[in-house]
Amino acid sequence: MFKKYVLLVGIGVSLFSTSGYAQENPPIPQGELTLEEILEYSLVNSPMIKQSQIDQEIGDHEIKASLADWYPQVTLSGAGNYNIKLQTSVIGDQLITFGQPWNSNLMFQVNQTLFNRDQLFASKSSKYYRDQLDKAIKNTRISTIVEVSKAYYDILLAEEQLNVLNENIGRLEKQLKDAKNRYESGLVDKTDYQRASISLSNEMSVRNRVQTSFDARYAYLKQLMGCPEEFEFTVSFDREEMLSEIYMDASEPLVLENRVEYQLMQTQQTLNEIQFSYEKWNYLPQLSASYNYNWLYFNQDFSNLYNQAYPTSTVGLTLSLPIFQGGKRNHRVRVADLQVDRGAIDLQNLGNQIKTEYEVALTTYQSDVYAWENIRENMKMAEEVYDIIKLQYDEGIKAYVDLVVAETDLRTAQINHLNAIFQVLESKLDLEKALGLIE
């Protein structure tokens, strides 16, 4: 079943909801992948997801094991002995020897718990433990979405920076060619040509640094995705769509119950309260029923031991009532009561932490949006300034140093604009996480 993921930094993503190991694995990543495709693969193959699924399966088996004591417990046991010295007793004025040198038995026994506080606790708490396991997986999925998305944006940022650098290098190569022609024509001295060569060399050095960083960026993304290193793919995105979805409603109210961490803490507090009740039940008796059938064998000779059986059978009830335990019960009840008090404080403290996280995320997002809007205007002005100075330089009005400054300002503005875009995307992701909107 498809499950809609809330706007991930401006991109609406529909993903298959995973359910343990039952979901079919998505295809191996190859070619150009969108964020949706990367997340779909990650939510099945990420090491964190697989670990949380195994933890859930372990927890489920532990719950079933604790509930298994409600079922009849059937055992079959056997024993055999050789009496080196038989028992002798005085009866009247005679010494009588009892027993046979060889004896053995085979016993079939069934025990059924009728009332036991441990089993009552297991039955009452099992659904809350399962709820914790489900929420733990949900929390892992949210963390995976956030971390994978940020790694994806980091690669996109580098690609966009590389595009800007390639564009600038193209301009610088043309400027170097023009400066060289002017120098050879005697229109200018060699300083313009040398400056153009230096600028081009510096820009190519920056481009090389960005290019060589891709292997590490993709390796980190593959690590988060759980993707084999030998499989190659590239990331793709629609820049216009991303920019159109960059804004979000900052007036969205914070609801603590939307945060999975808060839900986990609430469930833990419920378990604390159940534990408190369990400790108070310590005075309750334990009642069980049993049935056994025992085959007895004994004989003078081992070879004839199992020729004849002498069976016995019993059925009965066992009632155990704790009367005095040295005050242990009272102390354990008090400990459980204090755990409830501690849990209430933990829940309140977590609520305050979430509120602080939300305020920080909201402030950061709003500041980043404001900075991006200003930087965008600065980039437009830098483009206009460069175009004007380039025309003036071509006409011989401006010196080459002015063109270099304009070129540097333009490249800086373009890079700053890209950094600002992806900073907004990441801060929006953090705000959505703080609001509990990522499902």
Side-chain angles (χ1 to χ4, degrees), residues 128-129 131-136 138-139 256-274 338-354:
Y128 297 104
Y129 280 118
D131 185 55
Q132 273 193 327
L133 295 171
D134 290 339
K135 286 183 171 61
K138 180 180 178 181
N139 192 35
L256 293 177
E257 286 74 14
N258 287 343
R259 290 288 296 270
V260 65
E261 300 95 326
Y262 196 79
Q263 296 170 13
L264 278 167
M265 186 68 73
Q266 286 179 317
T267 303
Q268 182 58 51
Q269 181 65 352
T270 301
L271 288 171
N272 290 339
E273 294 169 355
I274 294 176
L338 291 173
Q339 290 286 5
V340 172
D341 294 340
R342 170 67 183 273
I345 297 174
D346 291 341
L347 192 61
Q348 182 181 12
N349 185 48
L350 178 61
N352 293 333
Q353 291 178 3
I354 291 175

Side-chain angles (χ1 to χ4, degrees), residues 15-16 36 100 112-113 127 131 172 186 224 230 232 235 245 262 264 274 319 397 428:
L15 299 170
F16 281 110
E36 176 184 0
Q100 296 287 347
Q112 174 63 60
T113 298
K127 68 176 182 179
D131 185 55
L172 288 172
L224 295 176
E230 61 270 18
E232 299 296 333
V235 299
E245 298 289 348
Y262 196 79
L264 278 167
I274 294 176
L319 178 67
I397 301 174
K428 183 182 179 184

Side-chain angles (χ1 to χ4, degrees), residues 16 26 34 49 72 82 86 115 134 212 224 236 242 254 307-308 321-322 348 351 368 376 382 386 399 404 437:
F16 281 110
T34 63
I49 296 293
Y82 173 71
L86 295 176
F115 184 85
D134 290 339
T212 55
L224 295 176
S236 66
M242 183 178 292
L254 173 65
N307 289 346
Q308 178 67 45
L321 178 65
Q348 182 181 12
D368 289 342
R376 180 180 56 184
Y386 173 79
V404 171
L437 298 180

Side-chain angles (χ1 to χ4, degrees), residues 229-407:
E229 186 176 351
E230 61 270 18
F231 293 108
E232 299 296 333
F233 63 88
T234 57
V235 299
S236 66
F237 76 112
D238 187 332
R239 183 175 181 181
E240 295 303 321
E241 180 182 355
M242 183 178 292
L243 290 177
S244 67
E245 298 289 348
I246 202 168
Y247 293 102
M248 69 172 289
D249 185 6
S251 63
E252 181 79 26
L254 173 65
V255 180
L256 293 177
E257 286 74 14
N258 287 343
R259 290 288 296 270
V260 65
E261 300 95 326
Y262 196 79
Q263 296 170 13
L264 278 167
M265 186 68 73
Q266 286 179 317
T267 303
Q268 182 58 51
Q269 181 65 352
T270 301
L271 288 171
N272 290 339
E273 294 169 355
I274 294 176
Q275 181 72 31
F276 177 55
S277 300
Y278 163 77
E279 296 299 343
K280 291 195 296 183
W281 295 341
N282 199 37
Y283 64 89
L284 296 177
Q286 299 182 24
L287 180 63
S288 63
S290 64
Y291 167 79
N292 69 68
Y293 195 94
N294 193 18
W295 291 269
L296 299 177
Y297 302 91
F298 43 84
N299 203 286
Q300 281 287 119
D301 302 314
F302 178 76
S303 60
N304 298 321
L305 178 61
Y306 294 102
N307 289 346
Q308 178 67 45
Y310 303 90
T312 64
S313 181
T314 61
V315 62
L317 294 174
T318 301
L319 178 67
S320 176
L321 178 65
I323 297 176
F324 180 71
Q325 299 175 328
K328 179 174 67 174
R329 183 183 66 186
N330 293 333
H331 293 304
R332 296 189 65 172
V333 169
R334 182 56 181 157
V335 169
D337 190 23
L338 291 173
Q339 290 286 5
V340 172
D341 294 340
R342 170 67 183 273
I345 297 174
D346 291 341
L347 192 61
Q348 182 181 12
N349 185 48
L350 178 61
N352 293 333
Q353 291 178 3
I354 291 175
K355 291 175 183 177
T356 301
E357 180 183 340
Y358 163 72
E359 292 296 337
V360 172
L362 177 61
T363 301
T364 302
Y365 170 72
Q366 291 175 331
S367 298
D368 289 342
V369 169
Y370 179 78
W372 166 65
E373 292 173 340
N374 287 337
I375 291 173
R376 180 180 56 184
E377 296 303 317
N378 290 341
M379 185 186 66
K380 292 179 180 178
M381 287 189 290
E383 290 173 348
E384 293 176 1
V385 170
Y386 173 79
D387 291 339
I388 293 172
I389 293 181
K390 180 65 170 62
L391 290 174
Q392 292 176 336
Y393 171 74
D394 292 340
E395 295 295 328
I397 301 174
K398 290 288 187 179
Y400 183 75
V401 66
D402 296 322
L403 183 61
V404 171
V405 171
E407 172 72 33

Side-chain angles (χ1 to χ4, degrees), residues 3 10 96 217 326 391:
K3 184 176 182 179
I96 304 298
R217 295 173 195 263
L391 290 174

Side-chain angles (χ1 to χ4, degrees), residues 21 50-60 62 133:
Y21 300 103
K50 289 184 176 181
Q51 288 171 347
S52 63
Q53 289 173 338
I54 292 175
D55 290 341
Q56 184 184 42
E57 189 172 355
I58 291 172
D60 184 63
E62 288 178 342
L133 295 171

